[in-house]
Amino acid sequence: MENSKFVLGSKYDLRTKLILLIGANILIFLGFDWIYQSLITLFFLVIIISDGYKKSAIRYILFFVISVVLEKSLAYFNMNFLLNLILFILAIGRKFLPCIIVGKWILNSTSVSSAVATLQKLKLSKDSLIMISVIFRCLPTIKDEWSHINMAMKTRGISVSIYNLFHRPAATMEYFFVPLFVSVIEIGDELSQSAIIRGLDAPVNKTSRYLIKFRRKDIFVLLFMILIILIIAFMKISGWTYD
């Protein structure tokens, strides 16, 4: 009955997501073959699908398939520098795709309140809590501010584009980036003051409406990822390869 007062939020604990992000960074450097990359990417796709992010998973799958098809089909042609650069960017994006999947999943599925509650449970310092709280709240605010600046400049016939960055760099910097930087500084100060006013740095035990705990899904996913890392590490150490 007591748990009914709390909100579970995402199906996975934030600590689980952070450990998965670390695991994704380890796994991407343990193998380089596209088959290995596809299996590792599939593992993290299954996780975000289980959390309800099916549309995002479809977009990641399309990117992976398109990058592999382009790389395999154009490998036998004489290509200029631009095509080689595009293929290189696609290959890098495919390699780091597991980290991108988990990172974007963390940002999309974690509210500021649940993140702060989780970090408080980890006994982080007050300065770190304030900084992370400001960062989480600042990102969507910066996005809104950018859209407002872009809309205002479009009414004056100026827009952010590659053409304007090369042909009108001074005007682009003056009308877009200078107002954005000024707004970011002001927003950061306001959010810092807001966090302090809300008692984030108060020397007392704090309560939260979010229930922060590891559940069966968290334990299963973490154990499965650790098992994958151990198996791949053992294969690398023993010199096992596949054709």
Side-chain angles (χ1 to χ4, degrees), residues 149-169:
I149 295 173
N150 194 25
M151 189 181 301
M153 290 301 102
K154 279 184 177 179
T155 59
R156 302 182 183 182
I158 304 174
S159 61
V160 178
S161 62
I162 297 177
Y163 177 83
N164 285 334
L165 283 174
F166 284 100
H167 290 82
R168 306 171 65 182

Side-chain angles (χ1 to χ4, degrees), residues 145-146 149 153 171-187:
E145 192 69 23
W146 173 262
I149 295 173
M153 290 301 102
T172 304
M173 291 291 293
E174 180 181 357
Y175 296 132
F176 285 94
F177 294 103
V178 172
L180 181 64
F181 291 153
V182 173
S183 298
V184 168
I185 294 172
E186 294 178 353
I187 291 168

Side-chain angles (χ1 to χ4, degrees), residues 33-198:
D33 187 80
W34 72 270
I35 298 177
Y36 171 83
Q37 294 172 358
S38 64
L39 294 175
I40 298 303
T41 303
L42 180 62
F43 169 68
F44 291 104
L45 286 175
V46 170
I47 295 174
I48 67 169
I49 289 173
S50 68
D51 201 23
Y53 290 85
K54 297 178 181 178
K55 292 183 179 179
S56 299
I58 293 173
R59 288 195 292 267
Y60 294 131
I61 292 171
L62 288 175
F63 170 78
F64 191 95
V65 172
I66 291 171
S67 65
V68 171
V69 170
L70 286 176
E71 183 178 342
K72 297 298 181 182
S73 59
L74 299 178
Y76 303 100
F77 293 93
N78 293 325
M79 295 178 292
N80 55 28
F81 173 76
L82 181 59
L83 284 176
N84 279 318
L85 180 62
I86 294 173
L87 289 179
F88 173 76
I89 293 173
L90 289 175
I92 293 295
R94 188 177 71 244
K95 180 173 180 59
F96 287 92
L97 189 59
C99 301
I100 297 171
I101 291 172
V102 180
K104 198 165 188 305
W105 174 48
I106 291 174
L107 292 176
N108 291 340
S109 63
T110 308
S111 64
V112 180
S113 300
S114 63
V116 171
T118 304
L119 296 174
Q120 286 174 345
K121 200 174 184 67
L122 294 175
K123 307 297 182 183
L124 289 185
S125 64
K126 298 171 185 177
D127 294 337
S128 301
L129 283 174
I130 294 175
M131 179 186 67
I132 294 172
S133 174
V134 170
I135 291 173
F136 265 89
R137 287 190 168 92
C138 196
L139 291 176
T141 309
I142 292 173
K143 183 179 179 181
D144 293 338
E145 192 69 23
W146 173 262
S147 64
H148 295 158
I149 295 173
N150 194 25
M151 189 181 301
M153 290 301 102
K154 279 184 177 179
T155 59
R156 302 182 183 182
I158 304 174
S159 61
V160 178
S161 62
I162 297 177
Y163 177 83
N164 285 334
L165 283 174
F166 284 100
H167 290 82
R168 306 171 65 182
T172 304
M173 291 291 293
E174 180 181 357
Y175 296 132
F176 285 94
F177 294 103
V178 172
L180 181 64
F181 291 153
V182 173
S183 298
V184 168
I185 294 172
E186 294 178 353
I187 291 168
D189 291 337
E190 293 173 358
L191 291 176
S192 299
Q193 295 170 8
S194 173
I196 294 173
I197 291 172
R198 293 174 62 189

